């Protein structure tokens, strides 16, 4: 299985997701500003992958900062962390990783130790991410029965993490348990993470799948052709409201209307207890050209206004369960999420 982000020969190696599925291109990055650009341009994307990439960005930056004293070092590192923090606002994992790296830097006795510990911490986060996803998969697999048809949106697979995936991790674990699963993949406009990335992963794994356009989901749900929906998350508020790829809310309402369970699979690093409800989650607005153009080709008339919010919020009442590495959380989500996070340390 591919590794989306890893440390190789003193550089951060990522697979360039803007080139998939046509080309499998890897980028070796040794400059934190270049890494920040890669995040903004979505060469690497998906909440957990962004967390690990951000951590490696700080590790790179720590070697780039010129400093004679720890105070100078922390001031320089502050600029590195601010640059990476300004790339994409919605995924909690990115800020969770930056905060974790900041603490490591502050606790180090001197500049040399700080640099070494920051790199070890990023390496640890890369390792942990795969273990966490496998635990999410093990817990979530129980929700998928033999013969299930599962609908997913966007890409919450290996490509959105270091390896294995969250929503796709649940599906992979069910398949590894010997269950027959058929995946319905929303193509996920405007950037087509479903058709470009999720379809690519499932083809590689030989898991049976059918690609549908986003507006077909209701049709299949109403006809009883979907047994459950499983998606990832970019940020989960303290009350269980979930921010995920634009279109997730629509799916959740359609699933509820048709009595189909709607599951969210995410690591506890996606949970943000300091955000009370989904209304407080910052939603990234991207370039309208991503809507008016497809793969560089103009598909809307010149002069039309286009909106491009990258995420939406699904109220917790539509969420049947949240699958974390700690186990499957059920409503009421307030206490369940607080428990899952506090067990963390
Ligand atoms: O804009 P993207 O491609 O970064 O959005 C990704 C998603 O919305 C994923 O569903 C989410 O990050 C969970 S990934 C395990």
């Amino acid at each position: 299985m591919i590794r989306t982000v890893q440390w190789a020969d003193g550089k951060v190696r990522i697979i360039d997701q803007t080139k998939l599925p046509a080309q499998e291109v890897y980028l070796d990055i040794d400059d934190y500003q270049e890494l920040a650009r890669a995040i903004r341009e979505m060469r690497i994307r998906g909440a957990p992958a962004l967390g690990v990439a951000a951590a490696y960005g700080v590790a790179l930056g720590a070697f780039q900062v010129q400093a004679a004293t720890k105070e100078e070092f922390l001031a320089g590192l502050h600029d590195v962390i601010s640059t990476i923090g300004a790339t994409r606002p919605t995924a909690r994992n990115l800020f969770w990783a930056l905060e974790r790296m900041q603490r490591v830097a502050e606790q180090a006795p001197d500049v040399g130790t700080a640099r070494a510990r920051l790199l070890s911490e990023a390496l640890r986060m890369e390792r942990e991410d795969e273990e966490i996803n496998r635990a999410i998969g093990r817990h979530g697999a129980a929700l998928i029965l033999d013969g299930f048809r599962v609908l997913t949106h966007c890409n919450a697979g290996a490509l959105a993490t270091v390896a294995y995936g969250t929503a796709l991790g649940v599906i992979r674990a069910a398949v590894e348990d010997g269950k027959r699963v058929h995946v319905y993949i929303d193509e996920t406009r405007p950037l087509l993470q479903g058709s470009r990335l999720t379809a690519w992963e499932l083809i590689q794994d030989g898991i049976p799948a059918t690609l549908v356009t986003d507006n077909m989901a209701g049709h299949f749900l109403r006809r009883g052709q979907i047994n459950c929906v499983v998606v990832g998350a970019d940020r989960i508020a303290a009350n269980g409201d979930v921010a995920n790829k634009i279109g997730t809310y629509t799916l959740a309402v359609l699933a509820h209307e048709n009595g189909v369970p709607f599951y969210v699979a995410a690591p506890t690093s996606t949970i943000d207890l300091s955000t009370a409800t989904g209304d407080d989650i910052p939603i990234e607005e991207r370039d309208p050209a991503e809507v008016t153009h497809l793969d560089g080709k103009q598909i809307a008339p010149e002069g039309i206004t286009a909106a491009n919010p990258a995420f939406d919020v699904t109220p917790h009442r539509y969420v049947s369960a949240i699958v974390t590495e700690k186990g499957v959380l059920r409503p009421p989500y307030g206490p369940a999420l607080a428990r899952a996070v506090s067990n963390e340390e």
Side-chain angles (χ1 to χ4, degrees):
M1 184 179 293
I2 53 121
R3 271 187 109 66
T4 302
V5 51
Q6 61 190 307
W7 186 254
D9 305 326
K11 295 181 182 171
V12 184
R13 178 167 297 164
I14 63 167
I15 182 165
D16 184 347
Q17 301 192 32
T18 62
K19 300 280 195 294
L20 287 169
Q23 289 169 283
E24 211 173 303
V25 176
Y26 288 83
L27 303 173
D28 286 328
I29 298 176
D30 61 3
D31 172 74
Y32 80 90
Q33 310 232 25
E34 201 190 319
L35 189 95
R37 205 163 32 249
I39 292 176
R40 222 175 294 114
E41 293 171 353
M42 293 180 64
R43 298 185 190 284
I44 179 155
R45 33 81 33 216
L50 290 180
V52 175
Y56 276 133
V58 176
L60 284 179
F63 287 102
Q64 292 175 263
V65 165
Q66 307 280 329
T69 65
K70 191 177 156 197
E71 284 63 40
E72 281 175 22
F73 176 73
L74 287 179
L77 202 68
H78 176 80
D79 293 343
V80 172
I81 289 177
S82 306
T83 301
I84 299 170
T87 52
R88 299 192 70 196
T90 304
R92 169 65 194 150
N93 309 60
L94 186 135
F95 302 96
W96 168 86
L98 293 177
E99 288 161 17
R100 189 164 151 177
M101 296 296 273
Q102 172 80 43
R103 282 195 298 273
V104 168
E106 282 166 6
Q107 284 161 11
D110 55 67
V111 176
T113 313
R115 288 187 175 125
R117 285 192 191 165
L118 285 167
L119 178 56
S120 316
E121 190 72 2
L123 287 162
R124 187 171 308 120
M125 285 156 91
E126 182 197 322
R127 259 196 326 273
E128 280 173 7
D129 184 71
E130 181 172 358
E131 288 161 17
I132 286 169
N133 296 334
R134 288 189 184 270
I136 290 172
R138 277 195 301 278
H139 293 301
L143 302 169
I144 313 282
L145 304 185
D146 185 37
F148 258 26
R149 288 176 298 252
V150 181
L151 178 66
T152 192
H153 188 69
C154 192
N155 172 268
L159 290 166
T161 61
V162 170
Y164 204 68
T166 57
L168 286 195
V170 168
I171 291 166
R172 285 193 165 103
V175 171
E176 285 164 16
D177 285 348
K179 294 172 191 163
R180 288 160 301 163
V181 181
H182 191 105
V183 184
Y184 282 74
I185 312 165
D186 266 357
E187 70 171 350
T188 317
R189 275 283 286 148
L191 293 181
L192 302 173
Q193 288 93 331
S195 57
R196 292 189 305 106
L197 309 176
T198 300
W200 184 77
E201 284 194 37
L202 293 178
I203 288 280
Q204 293 220 329
D205 276 16
I207 297 176
T210 301
L211 178 64
V212 300
T213 64
D214 302 325
N215 48 357
M216 293 176 189
H219 169 78
F220 291 110
L221 281 158
R222 198 188 68 77
R223 298 209 332 187
Q225 283 177 253
I226 306 293
N227 300 101
C228 70
V229 178
V230 187
V231 296
D234 282 83
R235 194 184 292 232
I236 302 174
N239 69 344
D241 292 351
V242 174
N244 191 49
K245 179 53 55 198
I246 191 77
T248 301
Y249 169 50
T250 319
L251 263 190
V253 175
L254 283 166
H256 180 80
E257 167 69 14
N258 291 284
V260 172
F262 180 88
Y263 300 125
V264 173
T268 49
S269 51
T270 304
I271 300 167
D272 183 6
L273 296 182
S274 70
T275 297
T277 76
D279 292 343
D280 308 310
I281 298 176
I283 299 295
E284 178 183 5
E285 288 284 338
R286 293 188 62 85
D287 187 348
E290 291 177 351
V291 174
T292 56
H293 291 65
L294 198 55
D295 208 12
K297 183 176 182 293
Q298 191 168 334
I299 55 166
E302 202 65 53
I304 191 66
T305 300
N308 193 11
F311 302 95
D312 61 24
V313 171
T314 298
H316 60 87
R317 66 177 176 280
Y318 295 119
V319 179
S320 313
I322 299 175
V323 185
T324 72
E325 74 276 22
K326 300 285 173 61
V328 177
L329 313 184
R330 298 277 184 178
Y333 289 118
L337 290 166
R339 252 192 326 271
V341 171
S342 68
N343 281 340
E344 203 169 57
E345 261 90 82

